Amino acid sequence: MWRNTDEAYGIVAIALHWLVTAVVIGLFALGLWMVGLDYYDPWYRQGPFIHKSIGVLLFGVVLLRLVWRLTNARPRLEPGTSLPEARLASTTHFLLYLLLFAVMLAGYLISTADGRPVEVFGLFSVPAVISGFDQQEDIAGEVHLALAITLVSLAGIHALAALKHHFLDRDRTLMRMLGRRRSDTGTPH
Ligand code: HEM
């Protein structure tokens, strides 16, 4: 139930998958919105504060997710999946993890460019380890945006692939990431 089996994703993997999805979409929207704010807007400081705080917390969640993934069984692919398709799915999943970490690292480098720590909702702060590089803030900012756009685009393609499995292949790939058990879906495939 909590852990994955050869057949199904457990509750923890499913909850972490959808939590990360929701947070990434939220942070992407907040990030694009907040950089367009006027200096006198009350959200001019509040927006980045929330964006950075949630970003640091997301790092912990993604780390936990990766550990969970590496210490759990991987549900077998649905019957009928070709080898190239299976390889493409694994590569995409690997790249999604890589991009998640890369986006967060670049974000950290923007915030800590001037040597100040990142405050997380006033609860704790993450010290600035790498700072003072020439144009660090600008370069990290551009990289952060480019990687975030790449991450969201790849996640979009990944979501389209899930929909293709559901509506065209009519297999259980999407349903099992939504926690539906074989018996819930009627006819087994
Ligand atoms: C930022 C958004 C997203 C990220 C970063 C992401 C990442 C991942 C990763 C890394 C996996 C591999 C399993 C794991 O390691 O837990 C996975 C599996 C999966 N994702 Fe996503 N995902 C995102 C959004 C979505 C969306 C929007 C959908 C559906 C509309 C979706 C559907 C699925 C399905 C069905 C699987 C299981 C694939 C299988 O069983 O082989 N994902 N996702």
Side-chain angles (χ1 to χ4, degrees), residues 42-173:
W43 281 93
Y44 184 79
R45 278 171 202 287
Q46 197 70 1
F49 176 69
I50 295 174
H51 184 87
K52 288 188 255 181
S53 298
I54 296 179
V56 171
L57 296 178
L58 180 67
F59 176 76
V61 173
V62 175
L63 208 59
L64 183 73
R65 183 174 168 190
L66 189 61
V67 170
W68 191 257
R69 155 90 196 245
L70 297 174
T71 54
N72 266 257
R74 285 202 58 202
R76 267 193 304 275
L77 290 171
E78 285 293 288
T81 310
S82 67
L83 190 62
E85 202 183 344
R87 288 214 178 112
L88 192 61
S90 299
T91 309
T92 306
H93 296 162
F94 172 77
L95 285 176
L96 285 170
Y97 275 113
L98 195 68
L99 281 165
L100 280 167
F101 282 114
V103 171
M104 292 185 283
L105 175 66
Y108 169 79
L109 291 177
I110 308 172
S111 308
T112 56
D114 59 3
R116 275 185 299 170
V118 188
E119 291 292 334
V120 183
F121 288 124
L123 299 171
F124 63 96
S125 59
V126 183
V129 183
I130 308 162
S131 58
F133 279 95
D134 195 30
Q135 291 187 292
Q136 179 172 332
E137 192 171 342
D138 293 346
I139 295 169
E142 278 177 32
V143 171
H144 184 63
L145 175 63
L147 289 174
I149 292 172
T150 311
L151 169 63
V152 170
S153 307
L154 190 62
I157 295 170
H158 162 80
L160 287 176
L163 295 176
K164 175 226 170 231
H165 276 281
H166 190 69
F167 291 109
L168 299 181
D169 304 338
R170 293 177 183 273
D171 64 26
R172 298 183 55 259
T173 304

